[in-house]
Amino acid sequence: MARTKLTSVEIRGFKSISYNHPVSLTLSDVNILLGANGAGKSNLIGFFRMLNYMMSGALQRYVAQSGTSVSALHYGPKITPRLEGHLTFENQNGKDYYDFALTSAVGQKLIFSEETIKWDRINSNEPYIRSLENNFVESGLVNNNDSTARIIRNLLANCKAYQFHDSSANGALRQGSPVKGAQYLQSEGNNLASFLYFLKDNHNTEYQRIVSHIRMILPTFGDFYLEPRDGYINLCWKNNSANDYIFSPDQLSDGSIRFIALATLLLQPEKTMPSVIIIDEPELGLHPFAISQLAEMIRDASLHAQIIISTQSVLLIDEFSANDITVIENVEPDNHTTARHLNEEELNEWLNDYTISQLWIKNVIGGQPL
């Protein structure tokens, strides 16, 4: 059975996205968001992160962690009184829709002013539309047992945004994590060691594949040494020599530990993989050969999940088709974010002589600072 996919997202009034100039994303299996610093790529990632919080009844926690309701609205509530999201999902039976609107309220909260679900079925003449009952503070999808609501909630709850930027000594990637409760990889890799331990015990074929890809990038890498102690586990490892010396996670370079996290995320089993994987600038700190391997892992993961990547890597975008790329720009006069999906057929003459990255650098496809 074909899986349900998120095929389009329209966003109004969220951070750098103007209410009067919405951003519309058409999504397929692989989606590359390309743009300069400050274009709004991270804000698009933030929108998906907000959706994930909403599906667990934690919208207000997202608002508190992200700043205030004022910072979530484009230039604040005086300019943008509300933000909206319009999402479309498709499978072989038809389409499902989820629409919501949030407004600023007393106490620097965002509250729901509208929330609806709708479906169109191929074998039905009448579309189904339903306004959701919510408590304004949290989504009405959270405890709704309607079949369409449940499908949408489960898909959005399984839409995960990841960022592995903090590879410092005190960063999440290098810290020990509890052995229990590691059936999925957390958004910043907080439980990387315990998730690998879980995969080794329960999905050894995929675990060995992860190890094999790491060896391509780190030729001296042998295997992980994952031994629980007092309910916690550290990302220790061994090299490919004959000695028994155990290396600590501190003895991995920044690029190496980021690649380990990316390989674990993208090569995990289908059973544990999120339905939508969003990664913010995965190329940071990676060797050029590692970026080529990253592209291969993205393509592999896209067989089971939709992948959304934000990037400004010339090496990474050249690994993909123009049809996979959406150019993100920040335009005047009010500095709002725009999105334009590339069409390979329209660029065909250019692509006979230039790569996508060369067209980007020359500003033929846009996405460069003005």
PDB file of all heavy atoms in Angstrom, residues 3 39 68 96 149 159 273 275 326 344 365:
ATOM      1  N   ARG A   3       2.196   4.848   0.791  1.00  0.00           N
ATOM      2  CA  ARG A   3       2.080   5.617   2.022  1.00  0.00           C
ATOM      3  C   ARG A   3       1.467   6.991   1.756  1.00  0.00           C
ATOM      4  O   ARG A   3       1.534   7.521   0.654  1.00  0.00           O
ATOM      5  CB  ARG A   3       3.443   5.765   2.685  1.00  0.00           C
ATOM      6  CG  ARG A   3       4.434   6.666   1.961  1.00  0.00           C
ATOM      7  CD  ARG A   3       5.763   6.698   2.686  1.00  0.00           C
ATOM      8  NE  ARG A   3       6.655   7.733   2.203  1.00  0.00           N
ATOM      9  CZ  ARG A   3       7.582   7.557   1.274  1.00  0.00           C
ATOM     10  NH1 ARG A   3       7.713   6.366   0.728  1.00  0.00           N
ATOM     11  NH2 ARG A   3       8.368   8.545   0.897  1.00  0.00           N
ATOM     12  N   ALA A  39      17.844  34.041   4.535  1.00  0.00           N
ATOM     13  CA  ALA A  39      16.763  33.953   3.547  1.00  0.00           C
ATOM     14  C   ALA A  39      15.459  33.467   4.169  1.00  0.00           C
ATOM     15  O   ALA A  39      14.374  33.774   3.681  1.00  0.00           O
ATOM     16  CB  ALA A  39      17.161  33.039   2.399  1.00  0.00           C
ATOM     17  N   THR A  68       8.576  34.329  22.197  1.00  0.00           N
ATOM     18  CA  THR A  68       7.216  34.693  22.578  1.00  0.00           C
ATOM     19  C   THR A  68       6.330  34.581  21.350  1.00  0.00           C
ATOM     20  O   THR A  68       6.805  34.350  20.237  1.00  0.00           O
ATOM     21  CB  THR A  68       7.146  36.147  23.103  1.00  0.00           C
ATOM     22  OG1 THR A  68       7.459  37.035  22.014  1.00  0.00           O
ATOM     23  CG2 THR A  68       8.110  36.381  24.249  1.00  0.00           C
ATOM     24  N   ASP A  96      -6.242  14.515   1.975  1.00  0.00           N
ATOM     25  CA  ASP A  96      -6.641  15.044   3.282  1.00  0.00           C
ATOM     26  C   ASP A  96      -6.055  16.439   3.420  1.00  0.00           C
ATOM     27  O   ASP A  96      -4.960  16.716   2.920  1.00  0.00           O
ATOM     28  CB  ASP A  96      -6.111  14.163   4.426  1.00  0.00           C
ATOM     29  CG  ASP A  96      -6.687  12.754   4.379  1.00  0.00           C
ATOM     30  OD1 ASP A  96      -7.888  12.629   4.123  1.00  0.00           O
ATOM     31  OD2 ASP A  96      -5.923  11.793   4.602  1.00  0.00           O
ATOM     32  N   ALA A 149      -8.685  12.797  11.325  1.00  0.00           N
ATOM     33  CA  ALA A 149      -7.890  13.540  12.311  1.00  0.00           C
ATOM     34  C   ALA A 149      -6.743  12.685  12.827  1.00  0.00           C
ATOM     35  O   ALA A 149      -5.618  13.174  13.004  1.00  0.00           O
ATOM     36  CB  ALA A 149      -8.779  13.993  13.460  1.00  0.00           C
ATOM     37  N   CYS A 159       6.628  13.776  12.033  1.00  0.00           N
ATOM     38  CA  CYS A 159       7.365  14.699  11.169  1.00  0.00           C
ATOM     39  C   CYS A 159       8.428  15.357  12.049  1.00  0.00           C
ATOM     40  O   CYS A 159       8.121  16.190  12.894  1.00  0.00           O
ATOM     41  CB  CYS A 159       6.382  15.722  10.605  1.00  0.00           C
ATOM     42  SG  CYS A 159       7.110  17.100   9.734  1.00  0.00           S
ATOM     43  N   MET A 273      11.798   4.839  11.364  1.00  0.00           N
ATOM     44  CA  MET A 273      12.062   6.093  10.658  1.00  0.00           C
ATOM     45  C   MET A 273      10.846   7.018  10.691  1.00  0.00           C
ATOM     46  O   MET A 273       9.715   6.577  10.482  1.00  0.00           O
ATOM     47  CB  MET A 273      12.456   5.787   9.211  1.00  0.00           C
ATOM     48  CG  MET A 273      12.915   6.979   8.403  1.00  0.00           C
ATOM     49  SD  MET A 273      13.513   6.483   6.764  1.00  0.00           S
ATOM     50  CE  MET A 273      15.105   5.744   7.188  1.00  0.00           C
ATOM     51  N   SER A 275       8.099   9.725   9.315  1.00  0.00           N
ATOM     52  CA  SER A 275       7.489   9.795   7.987  1.00  0.00           C
ATOM     53  C   SER A 275       8.022  10.976   7.185  1.00  0.00           C
ATOM     54  O   SER A 275       8.080  10.925   5.955  1.00  0.00           O
ATOM     55  CB  SER A 275       5.970   9.887   8.110  1.00  0.00           C
ATOM     56  OG  SER A 275       5.598  10.953   8.943  1.00  0.00           O
ATOM     57  N   THR A 326      14.154  23.833  -4.190  1.00  0.00           N
ATOM     58  CA  THR A 326      13.343  25.041  -4.049  1.00  0.00           C
ATOM     59  C   THR A 326      14.254  26.160  -3.568  1.00  0.00           C
ATOM     60  O   THR A 326      14.944  26.013  -2.552  1.00  0.00           O
ATOM     61  CB  THR A 326      12.197  24.836  -3.045  1.00  0.00           C
ATOM     62  OG1 THR A 326      11.326  23.799  -3.529  1.00  0.00           O
ATOM     63  CG2 THR A 326      11.389  26.110  -2.850  1.00  0.00           C
ATOM     64  N   GLU A 344      13.546  21.578 -14.026  1.00  0.00           N
ATOM     65  CA  GLU A 344      14.724  21.165 -14.801  1.00  0.00           C
ATOM     66  C   GLU A 344      14.530  21.395 -16.303  1.00  0.00           C
ATOM     67  O   GLU A 344      15.471  21.768 -17.015  1.00  0.00           O
ATOM     68  CB  GLU A 344      15.038  19.693 -14.522  1.00  0.00           C
ATOM     69  CG  GLU A 344      16.313  19.239 -15.183  1.00  0.00           C
ATOM     70  CD  GLU A 344      17.024  18.148 -14.411  1.00  0.00           C
ATOM     71  OE1 GLU A 344      16.733  17.961 -13.217  1.00  0.00           O
ATOM     72  OE2 GLU A 344      17.880  17.500 -15.020  1.00  0.00           O
ATOM     73  N   ILE A 365      19.565  31.318 -10.952  1.00  0.00           N
ATOM     74  CA  ILE A 365      18.359  30.749 -10.341  1.00  0.00           C
ATOM     75  C   ILE A 365      17.941  31.484  -9.080  1.00  0.00           C
ATOM     76  O   ILE A 365      16.975  31.114  -8.421  1.00  0.00           O
ATOM     77  CB  ILE A 365      18.562  29.244 -10.010  1.00  0.00           C
ATOM     78  CG1 ILE A 365      19.732  29.045  -9.046  1.00  0.00           C
ATOM     79  CG2 ILE A 365      18.783  28.448 -11.294  1.00  0.00           C
ATOM     80  CD1 ILE A 365      19.902  27.607  -8.570  1.00  0.00           C
TER      81      ILE A 365
END
